[in-house]
Every structure is written in structure tokens, then in C-alpha cells.
Amino acid sequence: MSLSENELVRTCQESDGKEFETAFHGLYALYKDRVFTVCLRVCGNHEDALDAAQETLVTLARRIADFEHRSRFSSWVYRIAVNSSIDVRRRRLDAPRGGVQTRLGEDGDWHHEGNDSIPGQDPVRAVQRNEALDAVQNALVHINPRFSSLLVLRYVQGLSYEEISETLECSLGTVKSRLNRAHAALRDYLETRGGEGLNPA
Amino acid sequence: MTSNPEITPLPDEIVRALADLGDLEAPAELEDRVSLALLGQATAPAELAPRVELAVFGPAAAPASLWQRVVPQVQAEGASRRRARVLSFRRVLSAAAAVLLVSIGIGVYGPGSGTVEGPPDLVAQYQAHRAEVLSKVILIEVDPAEFSGIARDLGAHMGGAR
């Protein structure tokens, strides 16, 4: 019998040993992709994303007893993922590593290496799409990590303002104000550095 | 987004590009890393190292040059061992000779050596030589003071001075 997310969380909080392990594995399966996506988009490369995702999920396992059910569990997980990613990104700021999905090119920009082409898509459009992804990923790893985290939560993960407010533990007004600044920072970067395939204006 | 007048919206193209950055799959490696981190690091037993070495490197064939390197070393070690044996044999010999000489010394010069007859030929030679000398001596002038009282009486009895 499969348990709901809430049951899995409760089981992790109230048990140990094999029971904890099974329940945690359930939570891991639910969150691993979302956590990795946030980490990759904020960190900008595969290796750092793995570090941050690992840190997030280990923290999740070790501190799950501290979760007080006053917010969505997902908000709590995203908060840990954002904080871990920002920490890793700060640690790597001076020496960013190349990654599989995204790598730092000789021109100092990040290049998307994943195969994001859609089967049957026009190759020219596929190239333009990859250029757009490159440009946006580049912008995310160059602007303030607080802004990129906000943009990732809002647009990559599709969280509502309320969920973001819960995740970042700040008011709705603060979320909106920060999001406005994040938009401006992203547009500025794309205008300055050029966003192929995009129209930042 | 557009329904909220407080926020300046992003162009649709950028929003689409941002949305396309999602839906990634976490690599399988992540689970291993998380599991390992949660398990903590155990101390590997000492027997692990030789087993890993054997598994990784296997029983390799020794290169031919190894023989060239081993032989001179073994020969050198053998020679020094033989030298050590010779030296010790010499020491034993020396000790035995010393014991023998001491024994002879004690035998010749030790207590009671006066009563011991010398080598038979020397004694015989001495007695023969003495008899020859005495046979040639007619008169020996001796200072009477050199004799004891009895010897002087005996000499006087034989016609000598007292």
C-alpha cells in the first residue's frame, strides 16, 4: 500500500530503522527530480547541482523531525534546496566547474549541453530554442542568486506567490517586490549580454 | 502574472525559456550519494587494501629485468654470509689454539714443574754432557764458604781445607 506524502513525512518523523528508510525512500522518489532541477538552474552546472541536491536531501533526512507541518512540505523542501544551491554557488563563485547539462565556455558564458530538441522539430527552431535556453541559464547563474532562486521557483517550478512566500518565509508583498527586481535583473543581463532567440525588451 | 498589476511581467519568450529549463530528471548517482552520506563513512578493515590491490592489479607476470636485479643482490648477500662463516671458524680456531698454549704453559711452568722431567732427550744429553765434563775435571777449586758445614767436614775428611 503506497502512503501519501503526508503519511510518508509522519512515518519518517515517528520511526527509525527500516521503517524510516522505506518512508524516506518514498519522499526521495517524490522530490529528487524537483530538487535536482532547482539546484541545476540555480547552480548552473551538473556537478554543483549534484552537490547541492545531495546536501538538500541529506538535510531533509536528518532534519525531517524539525518540520512542524505549518506550511506545505514541498515549501520546506524547496527552501532547503534554494539555500543549499545558493551556498554551493557562493562556494564555487571563484572557480565554477564545467558540467554536463551546462558548462562554462571559453567566452565566459554558460552553454547548454543537454539534448533539448523536441522530436520532429525544425532543426533551425531547435537551435534557436537551445540558444534561448543558453541565454536564460547564463543569466540565471550571473545575476544575484536570490533573484535566480526566485525566478526558478516561479517559472521553472511553477510555484504560486503564496508557495514562494511560504518557501522563502517572507510576505507576499516582499515576494512581489523581489520578483520585480529579479525580472529587471534578468532583462538587464539579457539586454547587456545579448539573448539570442529572445527579446528581453 | 499579467493579472497582477504590481509586477512588471517578463516577455513570454523568456517565460517560456525559463519554463523549458524545468522537468529534469535527477541522475541515478544522486541516490548513491545521498545514501552514502546518510550511512556515514565506516572505517575500512585492514584486510581490504590487499584484497583491493589483488582485484585491481591482479597477479601480474614479473618482468624479465627483475631477475637481473635480484641475482646480483642474492650473490652479494651469499658472499657476505660465507665470509661471516669463515671469520667465525677462524675465531674458533684461535680460541682452541689459545687454550692449547695456556695448557702447555701451565704444564711446563706451572706448580711442580721442577720435579717434572724435561723432554727425555734433553735430560739424557745433560747427564751425558755432565759425565763427560766430570771425567775431564781433576781438580775443582771451591771456596769452602760456599759449602755447608757437613760438606766442609766431608771435604776436610777427604783432605781439603776447612
Side-chain angles (χ1 to χ4, degrees):
Chain A
M1 186 186 74
S2 64
L3 300 173
S4 68
E5 178 183 297
N6 197 41
E7 287 169 327
L8 290 172
V9 174
R10 296 265 181 211
T11 307
C12 281
Q13 288 181 316
E14 292 161 8
S15 63
D16 52 18
K18 195 72 189 166
E19 210 177 341
F20 171 87
E21 204 178 302
T22 308
F24 179 71
H25 200 267
L27 287 176
Y28 173 86
L30 277 176
Y31 280 97
K32 65 183 172 73
D33 295 341
R34 280 184 271 181
V35 165
F36 182 71
T37 301
V38 168
C39 294
L40 181 64
R41 295 314 172 200
V42 175
C43 292
N45 69 74
H46 186 84
E47 276 306 307
D48 286 351
L50 265 176
D51 286 348
Q54 177 188 336
E55 204 171 301
T56 302
L57 292 160
V58 170
T59 304
L60 186 70
R62 287 184 178 153
R63 295 186 48 200
I64 199 160
D66 299 341
F67 177 65
E68 293 175 336
H69 297 270
R70 288 193 297 205
S71 63
R72 272 168 280 248
F73 182 70
S74 59
S75 301
W76 190 66
V77 177
Y78 279 129
R79 189 187 316 150
I80 300 172
V82 164
N83 289 335
S84 298
S85 302
I86 291 172
D87 283 350
V88 168
R89 193 171 136 177
R90 282 183 178 149
R91 288 203 290 267
R92 304 277 189 245
L93 200 59
D94 295 330
R97 291 185 290 189
V100 174
Q101 297 278 347
T102 313
R103 64 179 171 81
L104 187 65
E106 288 177 3
D107 53 2
D109 278 348
W110 296 89
H111 296 280
H112 206 73
E113 291 188 334
N115 181 10
D116 291 311
S117 60
I118 297 166
Q121 190 183 32
D122 174 13
V124 177
R125 285 181 68 87
V127 169
Q128 283 175 340
R129 184 170 172 273
N130 273 345
E131 283 176 346
L133 293 180
D134 273 352
V136 170
Q137 176 65 74
N138 238 338
L140 287 177
V141 293
H142 279 96
I143 63 174
N144 185 316
R146 294 274 167 210
F147 291 157
S148 51
S149 303
L150 200 56
L151 292 168
V152 167
L153 292 177
R154 177 76 183 110
Y155 299 106
V156 179
Q157 295 302 111
L159 267 58
S160 67
Y161 297 138
E162 289 75 17
E163 286 171 315
I164 296 173
S165 157
E166 239 180 47
T167 300
L168 302 180
E169 294 183 305
C170 58
S171 69
L172 269 179
T174 305
V175 169
K176 289 174 182 173
S177 141
R178 282 188 193 167
L179 199 56
N180 249 338
R181 287 159 63 197
H183 285 180
L186 182 64
R187 270 198 302 263
D188 283 353
Y189 184 86
L190 291 171
E191 278 171 9
T192 313
R193 301 294 299 260
E196 290 85 352
L198 291 168
N199 178 19
Chain B
M1 282 291 296
T2 48
S3 64
N4 192 330
E6 298 170 51
I7 297 175
T8 311
L10 282 173
D12 286 347
E13 280 177 300
I14 298 179
V15 172
R16 269 201 303 276
L18 280 166
D20 284 347
L21 291 176
D23 294 333
L24 293 175
E25 208 170 293
E29 180 189 354
L30 180 61
E31 186 168 356
D32 298 337
R33 290 175 59 156
V34 171
S35 304
L36 276 175
L38 289 174
L39 281 172
Q41 284 198 320
T43 307
E47 66 175 296
L48 184 60
R51 290 176 67 167
V52 169
E53 273 176 30
L54 188 66
V56 173
F57 301 110
S65 61
L66 182 61
W67 181 246
Q68 309 296 328
R69 295 174 66 168
V70 168
V71 168
Q73 195 177 341
V74 169
Q75 284 173 343
E77 282 173 9
S80 68
R81 242 183 256 124
R82 278 195 298 276
R83 268 200 300 277
R85 273 201 300 273
V86 169
L87 284 174
S88 61
F89 180 64
R90 281 181 184 163
R91 279 193 204 104
V92 170
L93 270 184
S94 306
V99 169
L100 187 63
L101 285 174
V102 168
S103 306
I104 292 169
I106 290 170
V108 173
Y109 302 104
S113 62
T115 58
V116 173
E117 291 173 2
D121 52 338
L122 287 178
V123 173
Q125 281 174 12
Y126 169 69
Q127 286 173 344
H129 183 69
R130 185 170 179 270
E132 187 187 357
V133 169
L134 285 176
S135 65
K136 292 175 182 173
V137 172
I138 299 166
L139 179 70
I140 297 173
E141 206 176 295
V142 181
D143 186 352
E146 290 180 24
F147 289 100
S148 64
I150 296 170
R152 277 199 296 272
D153 288 342
L154 182 61
H157 179 71
M158 290 176 69
R162 218 174 251 278

